[in-house]
Amino acid sequence: MQPLVTLKLATSLDGRIATASGESKWITGEAARHEGHRLRAVHDAILVGVETVLADDPELTVRLLPSSEATGTKQPLRVVLDSRLRTPVNARVAQTNTLIVTAAEPACIGGAQVEQVEARDGRPTPEAVLSALARHGIGSVLIEGGGQVAASFLRAGRVD
């Protein structure tokens, strides 16, 4: 069974997912960031594209929950869509509990697991990504970043 897919997007008033300078890390306020972490806590995996990793070096962990909600919270699997394996070895996500999904021949990137899947136009297909996640026992995934990743899952009709 394919994972349930939730898409989380933060947009500016003009409908952009980054500021004019390209900054996207703090486009939201504190309340929205807390809600984002609550969403992370109820999903089995968090998925971003490599451009998000290169621009923001995110941790992709659950951190900003009140202690009453955080008790027993399991960290979701961190998933990076990286067609050409550009994730830096020293990236925060290139450690443990990370799956890098690629169209390229798998190679070692830090402590992350790297898996090659079916690709179209050089990019992993949403269907292949979801199948890979299902093989890893993932029942739900929160897509957090980037515009290309969001658009590809929306175009494929894969956002629940």
Side-chain angles (χ1 to χ4, degrees):
M1 183 167 202
Q2 299 261 315
L4 173 77
V5 177
T6 303
L7 173 62
K8 177 183 84 70
L9 286 176
T11 63
S12 60
L13 289 174
D14 62 358
R16 308 263 183 201
I17 62 170
T19 63
S21 66
E23 177 69 30
S24 63
K25 194 169 186 176
W26 301 119
I27 200 168
T28 61
E30 186 176 343
R33 284 192 293 278
H34 281 278
E35 179 61 15
H37 280 261
R38 190 195 65 71
L39 281 169
R40 287 177 176 184
V42 299
H43 285 81
D44 297 329
I46 304 168
L47 185 146
V48 299
V50 69
E51 295 295 336
T52 296
V53 171
L54 295 172
D56 298 339
D57 192 20
E59 288 183 57
L60 301 180
T61 58
V62 178
R63 299 181 309 282
L64 301 179
L65 292 180
S67 59
S68 61
E69 290 182 51
T71 304
T73 298
K74 180 181 169 230
Q75 290 296 332
L77 177 69
R78 302 177 299 180
V79 181
V80 179
L81 299 187
D82 185 350
S83 300
R84 299 184 321 252
L85 295 181
R86 296 183 296 147
T87 300
V89 170
N90 63 345
R92 293 183 204 187
V93 295
Q95 309 311 315
T96 59
N97 197 35
T98 299
L99 174 64
I100 298 175
V101 181
T102 186
E105 186 69 30
C108 184
I109 298 181
Q113 182 176 351
V114 179
E115 185 171 330
Q116 183 180 27
V117 299
E118 178 185 335
R120 185 178 310 118
D121 299 325
R123 296 175 184 264
T125 67
E127 295 79 10
V129 171
L130 294 176
S131 292
L133 293 178
R135 286 191 302 276
H136 286 270
I138 299 300
S140 62
V141 59
L142 176 65
I143 298 175
E144 280 206 1
Q148 291 179 10
V149 172
S152 71
F153 277 80
L154 286 167
R155 270 192 310 272
R158 300 311 310 232
V159 175
D160 297 304

PDB file of all heavy atoms in Angstrom, residues 82-86 99-110 112-118 135:
ATOM      1  N   ASP A  82      17.195  13.281  -4.775  1.00  0.00           N
ATOM      2  CA  ASP A  82      18.466  13.815  -5.253  1.00  0.00           C
ATOM      3  C   ASP A  82      18.844  13.070  -6.539  1.00  0.00           C
ATOM      4  O   ASP A  82      19.537  12.057  -6.507  1.00  0.00           O
ATOM      5  CB  ASP A  82      19.528  13.626  -4.164  1.00  0.00           C
ATOM      6  CG  ASP A  82      20.859  14.268  -4.518  1.00  0.00           C
ATOM      7  OD1 ASP A  82      21.035  14.706  -5.673  1.00  0.00           O
ATOM      8  OD2 ASP A  82      21.737  14.292  -3.630  1.00  0.00           O
ATOM      9  N   SER A  83      18.386  13.568  -7.662  1.00  0.00           N
ATOM     10  CA  SER A  83      18.560  12.897  -8.954  1.00  0.00           C
ATOM     11  C   SER A  83      20.003  12.555  -9.275  1.00  0.00           C
ATOM     12  O   SER A  83      20.295  11.485  -9.806  1.00  0.00           O
ATOM     13  CB  SER A  83      18.008  13.771 -10.082  1.00  0.00           C
ATOM     14  OG  SER A  83      16.651  14.015  -9.875  1.00  0.00           O
ATOM     15  N   ARG A  84      20.916  13.474  -8.957  1.00  0.00           N
ATOM     16  CA  ARG A  84      22.325  13.307  -9.356  1.00  0.00           C
ATOM     17  C   ARG A  84      23.283  13.180  -8.168  1.00  0.00           C
ATOM     18  O   ARG A  84      24.483  13.371  -8.318  1.00  0.00           O
ATOM     19  CB  ARG A  84      22.730  14.479 -10.245  1.00  0.00           C
ATOM     20  CG  ARG A  84      21.897  14.550 -11.522  1.00  0.00           C
ATOM     21  CD  ARG A  84      22.355  15.646 -12.469  1.00  0.00           C
ATOM     22  NE  ARG A  84      22.746  16.881 -11.818  1.00  0.00           N
ATOM     23  CZ  ARG A  84      22.052  18.013 -11.846  1.00  0.00           C
ATOM     24  NH1 ARG A  84      20.930  18.085 -12.519  1.00  0.00           N
ATOM     25  NH2 ARG A  84      22.482  19.090 -11.225  1.00  0.00           N
ATOM     26  N   LEU A  85      22.747  12.875  -7.004  1.00  0.00           N
ATOM     27  CA  LEU A  85      23.559  12.684  -5.784  1.00  0.00           C
ATOM     28  C   LEU A  85      24.455  13.878  -5.479  1.00  0.00           C
ATOM     29  O   LEU A  85      25.680  13.761  -5.393  1.00  0.00           O
ATOM     30  CB  LEU A  85      24.364  11.387  -5.864  1.00  0.00           C
ATOM     31  CG  LEU A  85      23.526  10.115  -5.896  1.00  0.00           C
ATOM     32  CD1 LEU A  85      24.428   8.887  -5.954  1.00  0.00           C
ATOM     33  CD2 LEU A  85      22.588  10.040  -4.702  1.00  0.00           C
ATOM     34  N   ARG A  86      23.804  15.026  -5.285  1.00  0.00           N
ATOM     35  CA  ARG A  86      24.534  16.253  -4.935  1.00  0.00           C
ATOM     36  C   ARG A  86      24.487  16.553  -3.438  1.00  0.00           C
ATOM     37  O   ARG A  86      25.037  17.559  -2.998  1.00  0.00           O
ATOM     38  CB  ARG A  86      23.974  17.436  -5.722  1.00  0.00           C
ATOM     39  CG  ARG A  86      24.180  17.287  -7.218  1.00  0.00           C
ATOM     40  CD  ARG A  86      23.682  18.498  -7.971  1.00  0.00           C
ATOM     41  NE  ARG A  86      22.243  18.647  -7.817  1.00  0.00           N
ATOM     42  CZ  ARG A  86      21.598  19.822  -7.781  1.00  0.00           C
ATOM     43  NH1 ARG A  86      22.271  20.947  -7.909  1.00  0.00           N
ATOM     44  NH2 ARG A  86      20.292  19.855  -7.656  1.00  0.00           N
ATOM     45  N   LEU A  99      17.040   8.477   3.941  1.00  0.00           N
ATOM     46  CA  LEU A  99      17.000   7.759   2.671  1.00  0.00           C
ATOM     47  C   LEU A  99      17.146   8.788   1.554  1.00  0.00           C
ATOM     48  O   LEU A  99      16.364   9.736   1.476  1.00  0.00           O
ATOM     49  CB  LEU A  99      15.674   7.013   2.522  1.00  0.00           C
ATOM     50  CG  LEU A  99      15.421   6.328   1.175  1.00  0.00           C
ATOM     51  CD1 LEU A  99      16.431   5.211   0.930  1.00  0.00           C
ATOM     52  CD2 LEU A  99      13.991   5.792   1.127  1.00  0.00           C
ATOM     53  N   ILE A 100      18.145   8.615   0.728  1.00  0.00           N
ATOM     54  CA  ILE A 100      18.311   9.474  -0.444  1.00  0.00           C
ATOM     55  C   ILE A 100      17.831   8.672  -1.642  1.00  0.00           C
ATOM     56  O   ILE A 100      18.342   7.579  -1.912  1.00  0.00           O
ATOM     57  CB  ILE A 100      19.777   9.921  -0.614  1.00  0.00           C
ATOM     58  CG1 ILE A 100      20.204  10.747   0.605  1.00  0.00           C
ATOM     59  CG2 ILE A 100      19.951  10.714  -1.919  1.00  0.00           C
ATOM     60  CD1 ILE A 100      21.668  11.148   0.609  1.00  0.00           C
ATOM     61  N   VAL A 101      16.830   9.201  -2.336  1.00  0.00           N
ATOM     62  CA  VAL A 101      16.247   8.537  -3.498  1.00  0.00           C
ATOM     63  C   VAL A 101      16.793   9.229  -4.734  1.00  0.00           C
ATOM     64  O   VAL A 101      16.730  10.458  -4.842  1.00  0.00           O
ATOM     65  CB  VAL A 101      14.710   8.600  -3.457  1.00  0.00           C
ATOM     66  CG1 VAL A 101      14.113   7.881  -4.655  1.00  0.00           C
ATOM     67  CG2 VAL A 101      14.180   7.996  -2.155  1.00  0.00           C
ATOM     68  N   THR A 102      17.324   8.431  -5.662  1.00  0.00           N
ATOM     69  CA  THR A 102      18.045   9.002  -6.791  1.00  0.00           C
ATOM     70  C   THR A 102      17.725   8.286  -8.098  1.00  0.00           C
ATOM     71  O   THR A 102      17.202   7.171  -8.100  1.00  0.00           O
ATOM     72  CB  THR A 102      19.574   8.942  -6.531  1.00  0.00           C
ATOM     73  OG1 THR A 102      20.254   9.617  -7.578  1.00  0.00           O
ATOM     74  CG2 THR A 102      20.069   7.504  -6.420  1.00  0.00           C
ATOM     75  N   ALA A 103      18.082   8.954  -9.185  1.00  0.00           N
ATOM     76  CA  ALA A 103      18.018   8.348 -10.513  1.00  0.00           C
ATOM     77  C   ALA A 103      19.399   7.831 -10.907  1.00  0.00           C
ATOM     78  O   ALA A 103      19.535   7.094 -11.869  1.00  0.00           O
ATOM     79  CB  ALA A 103      17.535   9.380 -11.532  1.00  0.00           C
ATOM     80  N   ALA A 104      20.416   8.218 -10.138  1.00  0.00           N
ATOM     81  CA  ALA A 104      21.807   7.876 -10.453  1.00  0.00           C
ATOM     82  C   ALA A 104      22.191   6.528  -9.851  1.00  0.00           C
ATOM     83  O   ALA A 104      21.473   5.981  -9.010  1.00  0.00           O
ATOM     84  CB  ALA A 104      22.732   8.962  -9.904  1.00  0.00           C
ATOM     85  N   GLU A 105      23.341   6.052 -10.262  1.00  0.00           N
ATOM     86  CA  GLU A 105      23.913   4.848  -9.656  1.00  0.00           C
ATOM     87  C   GLU A 105      24.187   5.162  -8.178  1.00  0.00           C
ATOM     88  O   GLU A 105      24.829   6.158  -7.863  1.00  0.00           O
ATOM     89  CB  GLU A 105      25.216   4.475 -10.376  1.00  0.00           C
ATOM     90  CG  GLU A 105      25.824   3.184  -9.944  1.00  0.00           C
ATOM     91  CD  GLU A 105      25.017   1.968 -10.359  1.00  0.00           C
ATOM     92  OE1 GLU A 105      24.341   2.028 -11.417  1.00  0.00           O
ATOM     93  OE2 GLU A 105      25.056   0.972  -9.625  1.00  0.00           O
ATOM     94  N   PRO A 106      23.686   4.337  -7.243  1.00  0.00           N
ATOM     95  CA  PRO A 106      23.885   4.638  -5.814  1.00  0.00           C
ATOM     96  C   PRO A 106      25.358   4.736  -5.432  1.00  0.00           C
ATOM     97  O   PRO A 106      26.200   4.019  -5.965  1.00  0.00           O
ATOM     98  CB  PRO A 106      23.228   3.449  -5.116  1.00  0.00           C
ATOM     99  CG  PRO A 106      22.247   2.920  -6.100  1.00  0.00           C
ATOM    100  CD  PRO A 106      22.877   3.139  -7.451  1.00  0.00           C
ATOM    101  N   ALA A 107      25.647   5.666  -4.534  1.00  0.00           N
ATOM    102  CA  ALA A 107      26.986   5.859  -3.988  1.00  0.00           C
ATOM    103  C   ALA A 107      26.830   6.226  -2.516  1.00  0.00           C
ATOM    104  O   ALA A 107      25.776   6.698  -2.091  1.00  0.00           O
ATOM    105  CB  ALA A 107      27.705   6.976  -4.742  1.00  0.00           C
ATOM    106  N   CYS A 108      27.870   6.044  -1.758  1.00  0.00           N
ATOM    107  CA  CYS A 108      27.844   6.330  -0.329  1.00  0.00           C
ATOM    108  C   CYS A 108      27.810   7.849  -0.095  1.00  0.00           C
ATOM    109  O   CYS A 108      28.618   8.590  -0.657  1.00  0.00           O
ATOM    110  CB  CYS A 108      29.078   5.721   0.323  1.00  0.00           C
ATOM    111  SG  CYS A 108      29.099   5.910   2.101  1.00  0.00           S
ATOM    112  N   ILE A 109      26.856   8.296   0.731  1.00  0.00           N
ATOM    113  CA  ILE A 109      26.794   9.702   1.145  1.00  0.00           C
ATOM    114  C   ILE A 109      26.603   9.705   2.653  1.00  0.00           C
ATOM    115  O   ILE A 109      25.490   9.517   3.154  1.00  0.00           O
ATOM    116  CB  ILE A 109      25.653  10.476   0.444  1.00  0.00           C
ATOM    117  CG1 ILE A 109      25.863  10.487  -1.058  1.00  0.00           C
ATOM    118  CG2 ILE A 109      25.575  11.899   1.000  1.00  0.00           C
ATOM    119  CD1 ILE A 109      24.809  11.232  -1.842  1.00  0.00           C
ATOM    120  N   GLY A 110      27.694   9.881   3.374  1.00  0.00           N
ATOM    121  CA  GLY A 110      27.644   9.871   4.834  1.00  0.00           C
ATOM    122  C   GLY A 110      27.034   8.579   5.347  1.00  0.00           C
ATOM    123  O   GLY A 110      27.331   7.493   4.843  1.00  0.00           O
ATOM    124  N   ALA A 112      23.770   8.022   5.236  1.00  0.00           N
ATOM    125  CA  ALA A 112      22.453   7.886   4.609  1.00  0.00           C
ATOM    126  C   ALA A 112      22.380   6.612   3.770  1.00  0.00           C
ATOM    127  O   ALA A 112      23.391   6.141   3.245  1.00  0.00           O
ATOM    128  CB  ALA A 112      22.153   9.099   3.731  1.00  0.00           C
ATOM    129  N   GLN A 113      21.187   6.090   3.646  1.00  0.00           N
ATOM    130  CA  GLN A 113      20.943   4.979   2.724  1.00  0.00           C
ATOM    131  C   GLN A 113      20.578   5.594   1.377  1.00  0.00           C
ATOM    132  O   GLN A 113      19.772   6.527   1.314  1.00  0.00           O
ATOM    133  CB  GLN A 113      19.800   4.114   3.243  1.00  0.00           C
ATOM    134  CG  GLN A 113      19.517   2.930   2.381  1.00  0.00           C
ATOM    135  CD  GLN A 113      18.430   2.031   2.971  1.00  0.00           C
ATOM    136  OE1 GLN A 113      18.002   2.197   4.092  1.00  0.00           O
ATOM    137  NE2 GLN A 113      17.972   1.088   2.171  1.00  0.00           N
ATOM    138  N   VAL A 114      21.147   5.098   0.296  1.00  0.00           N
ATOM    139  CA  VAL A 114      20.895   5.639  -1.040  1.00  0.00           C
ATOM    140  C   VAL A 114      20.232   4.550  -1.875  1.00  0.00           C
ATOM    141  O   VAL A 114      20.717   3.422  -1.932  1.00  0.00           O
ATOM    142  CB  VAL A 114      22.204   6.106  -1.713  1.00  0.00           C
ATOM    143  CG1 VAL A 114      21.935   6.647  -3.109  1.00  0.00           C
ATOM    144  CG2 VAL A 114      22.893   7.168  -0.848  1.00  0.00           C
ATOM    145  N   GLU A 115      19.115   4.902  -2.507  1.00  0.00           N
ATOM    146  CA  GLU A 115      18.371   3.937  -3.313  1.00  0.00           C
ATOM    147  C   GLU A 115      18.031   4.531  -4.678  1.00  0.00           C
ATOM    148  O   GLU A 115      17.479   5.620  -4.769  1.00  0.00           O
ATOM    149  CB  GLU A 115      17.080   3.536  -2.594  1.00  0.00           C
ATOM    150  CG  GLU A 115      16.317   2.450  -3.298  1.00  0.00           C
ATOM    151  CD  GLU A 115      15.159   1.917  -2.468  1.00  0.00           C
ATOM    152  OE1 GLU A 115      15.235   1.935  -1.218  1.00  0.00           O
ATOM    153  OE2 GLU A 115      14.170   1.481  -3.071  1.00  0.00           O
ATOM    154  N   GLN A 116      18.359   3.793  -5.712  1.00  0.00           N
ATOM    155  CA  GLN A 116      18.037   4.202  -7.080  1.00  0.00           C
ATOM    156  C   GLN A 116      16.631   3.703  -7.418  1.00  0.00           C
ATOM    157  O   GLN A 116      16.284   2.558  -7.119  1.00  0.00           O
ATOM    158  CB  GLN A 116      19.040   3.609  -8.056  1.00  0.00           C
ATOM    159  CG  GLN A 116      18.830   4.041  -9.492  1.00  0.00           C
ATOM    160  CD  GLN A 116      19.870   3.397 -10.410  1.00  0.00           C
ATOM    161  OE1 GLN A 116      20.391   2.319 -10.139  1.00  0.00           O
ATOM    162  NE2 GLN A 116      20.166   4.076 -11.506  1.00  0.00           N
ATOM    163  N   VAL A 117      15.825   4.581  -8.032  1.00  0.00           N
ATOM    164  CA  VAL A 117      14.468   4.219  -8.446  1.00  0.00           C
ATOM    165  C   VAL A 117      14.247   4.625  -9.901  1.00  0.00           C
ATOM    166  O   VAL A 117      15.064   5.335 -10.488  1.00  0.00           O
ATOM    167  CB  VAL A 117      13.391   4.877  -7.546  1.00  0.00           C
ATOM    168  CG1 VAL A 117      13.524   4.432  -6.094  1.00  0.00           C
ATOM    169  CG2 VAL A 117      13.433   6.395  -7.656  1.00  0.00           C
ATOM    170  N   GLU A 118      13.122   4.205 -10.426  1.00  0.00           N
ATOM    171  CA  GLU A 118      12.743   4.566 -11.798  1.00  0.00           C
ATOM    172  C   GLU A 118      12.675   6.081 -11.937  1.00  0.00           C
ATOM    173  O   GLU A 118      12.186   6.774 -11.048  1.00  0.00           O
ATOM    174  CB  GLU A 118      11.382   3.950 -12.118  1.00  0.00           C
ATOM    175  CG  GLU A 118      10.866   4.284 -13.501  1.00  0.00           C
ATOM    176  CD  GLU A 118       9.455   3.755 -13.715  1.00  0.00           C
ATOM    177  OE1 GLU A 118       9.062   2.787 -13.058  1.00  0.00           O
ATOM    178  OE2 GLU A 118       8.756   4.347 -14.544  1.00  0.00           O
ATOM    179  N   ARG A 135       8.133   0.168   0.547  1.00  0.00           N
ATOM    180  CA  ARG A 135       9.056  -0.946   0.823  1.00  0.00           C
ATOM    181  C   ARG A 135       9.802  -0.752   2.138  1.00  0.00           C
ATOM    182  O   ARG A 135      10.208  -1.709   2.781  1.00  0.00           O
ATOM    183  CB  ARG A 135      10.065  -1.119  -0.314  1.00  0.00           C
ATOM    184  CG  ARG A 135       9.487  -1.742  -1.562  1.00  0.00           C
ATOM    185  CD  ARG A 135      10.563  -2.151  -2.559  1.00  0.00           C
ATOM    186  NE  ARG A 135      11.434  -1.070  -2.996  1.00  0.00           N
ATOM    187  CZ  ARG A 135      11.144  -0.211  -3.974  1.00  0.00           C
ATOM    188  NH1 ARG A 135       9.997  -0.293  -4.627  1.00  0.00           N
ATOM    189  NH2 ARG A 135      12.013   0.732  -4.313  1.00  0.00           N
TER     190      ARG A 135
END
